[in-house]
Amino acid sequence: MADVAIERSSAAPPQTARKRSSLRTALKRKSTAAFLMTLPLILLISLLVIYPAFYSLHLATLNKSMQRFVGFGNFQFLFKRETFWLVVEQSCIFAITAVVFKALIGFIVANFVHNIPAKGQRKWRGMLLVPWVIPPAMSTLAWLWLFDPSYSAFNYLLAGVGVDRIPWTGETGWARFSVILVNIWFGAPFFMIMYLASLKSVPDQLYEAAAIDGANWWQRTWYVTLPMMRNIIAITTLFSLIVTFANFDIVRILTSGGPLDHTHIFATWAFRIGIEGSDIPLGASVSLFMFPILAIAAIFILRDINKRGNEA
Amino acid sequence: MSSKKLSRRQFVAATALSSAALISAPYIRTANAAGKLNIGFWDHWVPGANKASTELVNQWAEKEKVEVTIDYIPSQGSKNTLTIAAEAAAKSGHDILAMPTWWPHAHAEQLEPMNDVVEALIKQNGEVNGTVKYLGKAGDKWLAVPACVGSQIKGPCSRIDLMKQHAGIDVQAMYPAGAPPKADAWTTDAFLKAAEACQKGGVPFGIGLGETSDSVDTVGAFFLSFGAEVVDVKGNVVVKNDNVRQVLEFYKKLMAFLPSDAPAWDDGSNNRWLVSGKGALIMNPPSAWAVAKRDAPKIAEQCWTHGFPVGPKGRFAPFLPYFWGVWSFSKNKEAAKSVLMHLSQPAAVEKMVAASGGYDLPAFEKLTTLKTWAEEGPPKGTLYHYPNPHKHQLLSISASPAPPKIAQQIYTRATLTKMCVRFYQGEPMEKTLAWAEGELEGFMRS
């Protein structure tokens, strides 16, 4: 069969033959095959992500009744609103604090789990992943009851030891603390599992060499573990930052943005304005603010990873 | 294959014969002879209430030979408002959609006028209250048909025993079952005194000051009873006025007697407050009482639903009507109007009210004295005054009389509640008013 094909191709004019053979080579190339196999997914993502993104851009340029083009009018309006700046502030506090603590807790717990003998490790890994596996809306409902101002288990325990009840979701500072705490509880296991996978890939020889050089635990962590995990830390942080910034369910269920709008983040405020307030263009404008902030974070983090990749 | 040519004369004769056969043949209507209808109803929280709506629609569909599909859409998680927004944007979806409070006005341009249906129903069932007109009508156009299912008043539900014991008020004597109220002494001052007494007695009133509907509705009724408008009927921001100052002072006094965590309350908090036996009064439709009937019968036996206290400018109670809207892009508008007419007949309304245990409220005046409210208990007659049978209070909605599209913003952003909380937490009065003015000016976008 192959002979026949060669014979036929040799009979064809030289230019066509070259084209066919280059097509065949291209098809045989792994990258082309991979591209063709991922093409349906690329098309699906284009349809489900790019179209809504452009549609929300279009919506953000319309007036409240969606009948008139107002250009950047919605954005100009938002810049003048006190609540908008409150939302920007809370979104940053919420995302940065939660990601920092998730990373820190994830790193510490991953190190503990890594040092558990292999036999019992699987059990611990499974248990520690539970908060991440439960749907966030469900687990947040449980937290809502724990934080309930009048009947919460936390306040019951506090009262038991003679401490005053805490208005967990009723006072600005405590409400901010509560939503961040639940986000950390939900997201830390993700960091833990990523860091654990990364820790397992650090060659033991490096630690042995460090030990021979007389490095203590802190020096081993600082000069061996962290540099080896740097890319994973960066990618996990970026991913978590995006997800945390765009969080909706935790805040929505726990505080609905209150008290006095102090726990609203972009997604919940966009929902309040766009869907509950029937001002879809303004809601779309609010949600679009997440894009440039996350894009800048992504550029910096990915550029750093790329640079290190090239150096390697 | 053989072919036979028809002459012109033969063709005419054959056509005439077949036409005659068609005309004389008996007409058989199929199950969907009058087309299809797609309805999106509100998913009722009372078990069995949806069944009544389904039966009524099926009864009509069978008679009219329309193929009907019903979706029950929950309000939990704002699923129903999301559906409304999505269908309005897509210009496609259900033919009829249940719309709460503000949504007919929010989509006024996309709704089919319902004047013929509503005007006929008013002739039949009596006038509708002012809030229904305010929310369901734009100019001369009826945007939607007032729905019995889901409509509610959020009035006080008091504990008979605790109010007697701590505040010296006999709520049953004040609002006797089967008779007009004797509530002249039930003023905002008396309300404050009762709140203070109950707080001292360890059973404070459970009134939320959060950002959800129950809190916003209650504060709205008190604002109106003090004549405190923040945006007037023409859409002017008028928040810096003495009536607003007066109601803020009133709320500051009241908040001192409420649970300290009231600013964090949601719509479930007051229900739990009553059912757990911690408080003497909440502001709610009879849902909390219905739950108490199941979970805490001894508490339910002591509950009495009654009217609001009267303020310097009148007695107002929050009324939240539901509507059935027909999209202008509906494919079967005539069938939609016909089924809505069927669902608004007195017998249908009576069936729906009974199925909801008296929770649902028709907007038409001749339908506010159904036997369900007189007979429901325990205690018997607890719901008698719930539908406002003696019109002793004006049914209102928070943020009215501002134009509905502005009022919706005030309502959903809980501006009135926030004003009370800010002032109570120590912000100077003029600063609170200036903050509110800024917020309200932002709601003027068109």
Side-chain angles (χ1 to χ4, degrees), chain A:
Chain A
M1 286 293 282
D3 290 345
V4 175
I6 291 163
E7 219 169 281
R8 274 184 192 166
S9 68
S10 63
Q15 207 178 353
T16 324
R18 214 177 302 127
K19 267 187 191 169
R20 275 187 193 166
S21 71
S22 65
L23 181 70
R24 199 173 297 137
T25 320
L27 284 172
K28 276 182 186 168
R29 215 178 288 143
K30 271 186 182 174
S31 57
T32 317
F35 174 74
L36 288 175
M37 287 173 85
T38 51
L39 192 62
L41 192 65
I42 292 169
L43 290 175
L44 192 72
I45 288 173
S46 308
L47 200 74
L48 296 178
V49 176
I50 297 173
Y51 170 72
F54 277 98
Y55 186 61
S56 61
L57 267 173
H58 162 70
L59 283 176
T61 60
L62 301 177
N63 71 329
K64 189 181 165 194
S65 54
M66 295 163 73
Q67 284 160 340
R68 196 162 35 87
F69 177 76
V70 292
F72 291 109
N74 288 326
F75 297 98
Q76 283 171 338
F77 172 80
L78 283 172
F79 285 139
K80 290 180 207 149
R81 311 306 308 160
E82 189 188 314
T83 317
F84 171 73
W85 293 110
L86 201 62
V87 171
V88 174
E89 180 194 313
Q90 170 60 8
S91 296
C92 294
I93 294 173
F94 177 76
I96 294 167
T97 318
V99 170
V100 166
F101 277 97
K102 279 188 276 192
L104 205 64
I105 293 168
F107 184 79
I108 294 167
V109 176
N111 270 288
F112 275 124
V113 175
H114 185 55
N115 290 322
I116 292 173
K119 201 180 163 193
Q121 214 182 80
R122 194 185 290 173
K123 206 163 49 188
W124 281 99
R125 275 204 312 257
M127 281 194 293
L128 287 165
L129 274 176
V130 166
W132 191 54
V133 175
I134 301 171
M138 241 173 88
S139 51
T140 311
L141 269 178
W143 278 100
L144 180 69
W145 293 328
L146 289 171
F147 284 138
D148 188 287
S150 309
Y151 317 94
S152 82
F154 289 158
N155 280 343
Y156 180 78
L157 291 174
L158 288 176
V161 292
V163 178
D164 263 357
R165 289 191 317 150
I166 293 175
W168 296 103
T169 52
E171 196 269 321
T172 309
W174 281 113
R176 283 180 161 176
F177 167 80
S178 303
V179 291
I180 292 169
L181 178 71
V182 177
N183 191 280
I184 294 169
W185 180 83
F186 174 70
F190 170 71
F191 278 80
M192 186 274 293
I193 205 74
M194 293 295 280
Y195 290 171
L196 190 63
S198 176
L199 275 173
K200 287 192 182 300
S201 67
V202 180
D204 284 341
Q205 294 89 325
L206 293 178
Y207 290 113
E208 283 161 16
I212 291 164
D213 287 344
N216 58 23
W217 175 85
W218 172 248
Q219 285 166 324
R220 284 201 301 273
T221 305
W222 190 256
Y223 293 108
V224 179
T225 312
L226 282 174
M228 292 300 286
M229 289 175 69
R230 224 169 138 183
N231 280 353
I232 288 290
I233 290 173
I235 290 169
T236 315
T237 305
L238 173 65
F239 182 76
S240 179
L241 198 67
I242 291 168
V243 173
T244 312
F245 236 94
N247 186 273
F248 176 80
D249 34 22
I250 290 174
V251 174
R252 176 76 191 170
I253 293 169
L254 219 53
T255 62
S256 279
L260 301 176
D261 294 324
H262 276 71
T263 57
H264 265 307
I265 49 179
F266 284 117
T268 55
W269 202 51
F271 185 80
R272 173 65 54 90
I273 291 173
I275 302 295
E276 292 181 331
S278 293
D279 195 342
I280 287 176
L282 198 64
S285 311
V286 171
S287 62
L288 280 174
F289 270 98
M290 282 187 283
F291 179 71
I293 297 172
L294 293 174
I296 292 165
I299 287 167
F300 275 103
I301 295 172
L302 292 176
R303 198 180 59 176
D304 196 35
I305 291 169
N306 204 25
K307 210 167 80 184
R308 280 200 302 278
N310 290 340
E311 279 165 8

Side-chain angles (χ1 to χ4, degrees), chain B residues 172 175-181 304 373-375 380-385 389-390:
Chain B
Q172 283 176 303
Y175 284 90
W304 200 253
W373 297 304
E375 289 172 2
K380 194 178 174 192
T382 182
L383 299 185
Y384 176 77
H385 286 281
H390 299 283

Side-chain angles (χ1 to χ4, degrees), chain B residues 157-326:
Chain B
C157 176
S158 292
R159 281 280 299 270
I160 300 162
D161 51 350
L162 299 179
M163 286 290 268
K164 244 184 227 170
Q165 188 189 336
H166 298 289
I169 294 173
D170 184 346
V171 285
Q172 283 176 303
M174 200 159 68
Y175 284 90
K182 296 164 187 160
D184 291 346
W186 185 229
T187 62
T188 42
D189 285 340
F191 186 82
L192 266 185
K193 278 182 192 156
E196 184 179 7
C198 288
Q199 194 251 358
K200 281 183 181 158
V203 282
F205 286 7
I207 299 172
L209 276 143
E211 296 180 19
T212 51
S213 173
D214 285 5
S215 304
V216 174
D217 289 320
T218 306
V219 79
F222 277 115
F223 263 64
L224 287 168
S225 71
F226 278 84
E229 290 180 11
V230 292
V231 172
D232 69 14
V233 71
K234 289 177 186 160
N236 302 310
V237 177
V238 292
V239 66
K240 287 181 174 173
N241 67 67
D242 287 341
N243 292 343
V244 171
R245 290 186 181 94
Q246 224 179 323
V247 76
L248 287 180
E249 295 286 0
F250 167 80
Y251 244 85
K252 191 172 192 169
K253 286 179 200 158
L254 178 63
M255 281 179 77
F257 309 132
L258 300 180
S260 59
D261 45 35
W265 277 25
D266 60 20
D267 287 347
S269 308
N270 47 0
N271 295 38
R272 290 195 291 273
W273 191 252
L274 185 83
V275 178
S276 67
K278 283 190 163 203
L281 175 148
I282 62 163
M283 301 291 195
N284 229 57
S287 42
W289 163 78
V291 173
K293 228 173 28 158
R294 188 192 63 199
D295 297 344
K298 293 279 170 211
I299 288 171
E301 282 166 18
Q302 294 295 333
C303 289
W304 200 253
T305 297
H306 57 90
F308 250 73
V310 63
K313 295 289 156 61
R315 197 187 300 271
F316 292 82
F319 179 58
L320 274 89
Y322 250 89
F323 294 90
W324 289 311
V326 177

